[in-house]
Amino acid sequence: MSQPLEAGAVAPPTLDTIHNPFLEGPFAPIQQEITATDLVITGEIPRELDGRFLRVGPNPIDPGDPATYNWFMGTGMMHGVRIRDGRAEWYRNRFVRDDEVVAKRGGKPVEGPPHLGGGTRYLRSNTVNTHMFSQAGKTWAFAEAGVLPIEVTDELETVARSDFEGTLNGSWTGHPHRDPRTGELHGIAYYWDWHHVSYQVMGVDGRITRRIDVPVRGKPVVHDMALTEKYAIFLDGPVNFSHELQDAGFDFPYAWDFEYETQWVLISRDGTSSDVIRCSLPGQTAVFHILNAYDLPDGTVALDGVSYDRLFVNDRTGPTESPSKLDRFILNPRTGRTTVRRLDDRAQEMPRIDDRRTGSLHQFGYFSSRGDEGSQVLKQHVERGVTESYAYGPGKVGMEAVFVPRHEHAAEDDGWLMTYVSDLATQTAEMVIIPAQDIASGPVARIHIPQRIPLGFHGNWIPSEHR
Ligand SMILES: [Fe+2]
């Protein structure tokens, strides 16, 4: 296990943490669950689009003490827009019903197997707030760290907790990656009381078909992973579980451990827990989100990720203590070393690619950024070192942009970016559809939503034919 945290790690709340920025402005929770139909559209929705655009994010039904509330732990709320024949048929937002939501809003308890975390305070009532996927004809909200997935209906009503028909070992991930060749979902799960992480593969039938448990030195957060043709890869990094913070009542009991060496861990997709390679980094780095990774002809691996120099040293409310940068890591399995090259210095997050490129060379990445020009979407030409951008405008805040190809065989950037944009002045939102080959031209369609959508986490476009 790792060394004690640096002095001050369990510092008493400061004025800054009592004034919790993740409960205000674009993050402020909303309480109404609404359904709006036949939404007003500015522009034109491409006729090719038939499906649902779904997102989930933190929306605390009761944040409790602002000094201990962490953005990662807010009650999950889902937002969705149904698109068909050039129309936006509905917008819905619904809480992911967990025990706390049932207690406050009533209704029957959610059924299903128990969460690994049981009734502990850690993870606040087993919140499911991280991502939405469709697999095996079902729609799911996912979370990590011992919290079971929640199945929801096409219209975002909670169905039940699930352990994938008894095939899950108690912990899944908020960030699975779909292998475009097989349709399987690959994820790496962790839990604060485990001394390993669990690489798991969900088949197209919605059941876990493969599992490799890999020991880790500490109890790191493993929020995301990468998939190449050879490897499943995760960061064994410095943000580690802290019993002291858990005992002190913090919602997110993880802190930067200054003694913990950062390593990328490569798991051979065809191997066993003994076929694991560790590639050390020159310094300490946290990477919560990975854009993509792929195998290079010389046996190394290229991995693009959003990195931080320091997080969760003193601020327990969210990832605030260093800006996020875009880096390319080259992992060398022969030497056990990693080299790092900065691709872009701008603060950016929520990376997405054309998911058909998962595990293969990608030319483009799409990011959310908040800089001098306000909230914007970035299109990074990672091979050419060029960046395009589109700013949403004063008082507007955009979220993770999801790439949707124009058709199955379209080129890598031939399609649209979809996201939600909130207008803080009017307390409304829009779903925007932006042509990915010309993002500077702005949305071809803006679908008007009659309430603000709090800055959320992740989601997907779920085409009707893939249900
Ligand atoms: Fe995430």
Side-chain angles (χ1 to χ4, degrees):
M1 184 51 193
S2 53
Q3 296 299 307
L5 300 160
E6 188 180 72
V10 197
T14 64
L15 282 178
D16 278 350
T17 56
I18 292 167
H19 172 73
N20 192 316
F22 294 99
L23 293 169
E24 298 168 1
F27 300 95
I30 60 176
Q31 295 302 331
Q32 276 191 314
E33 296 173 299
I34 68 167
T35 302
T37 56
D38 283 326
L39 305 171
V40 174
I41 301 159
T42 302
E44 209 164 304
I45 297 176
R47 290 272 164 177
E48 297 95 324
L49 294 172
D50 181 348
R52 292 172 297 144
F53 182 56
L54 305 183
R55 163 144 313 155
V56 65
N59 191 98
I61 195 164
D62 175 6
D65 183 351
T68 55
Y69 173 73
N70 181 290
W71 185 41
F72 295 167
M73 298 301 159
T75 319
M77 180 178 272
M78 302 169 281
H79 302 263
V81 170
R82 174 71 168 105
I83 287 173
R84 176 161 41 197
D85 297 329
R87 293 174 51 231
E89 295 182 352
W90 51 254
Y91 159 80
R92 283 181 159 81
N93 70 305
R94 296 290 184 272
F95 280 109
V96 181
R97 296 187 75 80
D98 57 23
D99 295 343
E100 189 177 17
V101 175
V102 171
K104 303 241 184 248
R105 296 289 169 101
K108 67 179 172 61
V110 180
E111 296 180 347
H115 294 287
L116 201 55
T120 62
R121 174 175 168 78
Y122 172 53
L123 288 183
R124 285 186 73 81
S125 305
N126 299 302
T127 290
V128 178
N129 68 8
T130 310
H131 217 323
M132 299 199 70
F133 272 81
S134 175
Q135 184 83 325
K138 295 175 178 171
T139 301
W140 312 86
F142 287 155
E144 64 203 51
V147 182
L148 289 178
I150 297 274
E151 185 188 342
V152 300
T153 67
D154 284 0
E155 298 184 339
L156 302 181
E157 304 297 340
T158 295
V159 176
R161 289 187 300 275
S162 171
D163 57 5
F164 306 145
E165 299 177 28
T167 62
L168 186 69
N169 63 351
S171 193
W172 182 231
T173 173
H175 275 279
H177 290 256
R178 183 173 275 123
D179 183 336
R181 297 172 303 175
T182 64
E184 299 166 325
L185 293 184
H186 294 245
I188 291 181
Y190 69 101
Y191 180 56
W192 70 273
D193 206 23
W194 287 357
H195 293 279
H196 64 276
V197 302
S198 194
Y199 166 48
Q200 298 177 92
V201 183
M202 182 209 262
V204 293
D205 63 355
R207 296 163 61 90
I208 298 296
T209 57
R210 182 163 168 69
R211 174 180 307 133
I212 302 174
D213 289 346
V214 174
V216 280
R217 297 159 293 153
K219 291 177 177 175
V221 166
V222 183
H223 181 63
D224 199 357
M225 55 93 69
L227 191 67
T228 74
E229 290 190 11
K230 286 188 199 166
Y231 303 110
I233 302 170
F234 72 93
L235 189 82
D236 186 2
V239 180
N240 256 257
F241 182 78
S242 159
H243 284 281
E244 293 92 331
L245 291 178
Q246 185 185 40
D247 292 345
F250 284 93
D251 288 354
F252 181 69
Y254 283 81
W256 192 276
D257 181 343
F258 285 88
E259 303 296 322
Y260 201 87
E261 185 186 62
T262 310
Q263 300 175 346
W264 288 108
V265 182
L266 294 78
I267 306 167
S268 175
R269 286 176 58 171
D270 304 323
T272 67
S273 58
S274 57
D275 298 313
V276 168
I277 301 164
R278 292 178 170 269
C279 294
S280 298
L281 276 78
Q284 284 194 302
T285 302
V287 177
F288 276 83
H289 292 128
I290 296 167
L291 175 68
N292 190 37
Y294 52 90
D295 303 304
L296 290 163
D298 65 358
T300 61
V301 173
L303 185 152
D304 292 350
V306 176
S307 35
Y308 296 85
D309 295 336
R310 291 285 181 277
L311 285 179
F312 303 116
V313 177
N314 290 304
D315 188 350
R316 310 288 162 220
T317 64
T320 63
E321 288 166 293
S322 64
S324 50
K325 309 291 188 185
L326 177 59
D327 283 334
R328 171 155 297 179
F329 301 89
I330 301 293
L331 289 52
N332 190 329
R334 282 191 306 279
T335 64
R337 294 183 185 280
T338 303
T339 57
V340 189
R341 178 163 67 91
R342 176 117 319 154
L343 294 182
D344 192 10
D345 260 329
R346 254 169 298 218
Q348 56 203 291
E349 253 294 0
M350 302 300 189
R352 293 297 294 250
I353 55 163
D354 178 338
D355 291 330
R356 297 171 304 166
R357 306 304 302 165
T358 297
S360 307
L361 186 145
H362 55 277
Q363 296 183 71
F364 308 109
Y366 307 98
F367 297 79
S368 248
S369 177
R370 281 208 282 172
D372 294 342
E373 287 144 40
S375 172
Q376 53 187 334
V377 58
L378 305 181
K379 177 183 181 181
Q380 300 282 11
H381 300 239
V382 291
E383 293 299 309
R384 289 168 48 209
V386 173
T387 308
E388 295 175 60
S389 64
Y390 172 72
Y392 297 113
K396 297 190 175 180
V397 179
M399 305 173 205
E400 175 195 59
V402 174
F403 176 82
V404 180
R406 189 179 300 274
H407 57 81
E408 194 182 349
H409 304 293
E412 186 183 330
D413 64 346
D414 184 9
W416 301 279
L417 297 176
M418 292 182 182
T419 190
Y420 294 118
V421 178
S422 279
D423 185 329
L424 301 184
T426 61
Q427 294 288 301
T428 60
E430 295 171 349
M431 175 185 163
V432 297
I433 302 174
I434 300 171
Q437 289 182 328
D438 184 15
I439 67 166
S441 66
V444 294
R446 294 161 45 212
I447 300 161
H448 299 271
I449 295 167
Q451 66 182 358
R452 182 176 55 81
I453 298 179
L455 200 54
F457 288 151
H458 309 287
N460 276 307
W461 169 251
I462 298 178
S464 298
E465 73 266 27
H466 288 161
R467 285 281 295 118

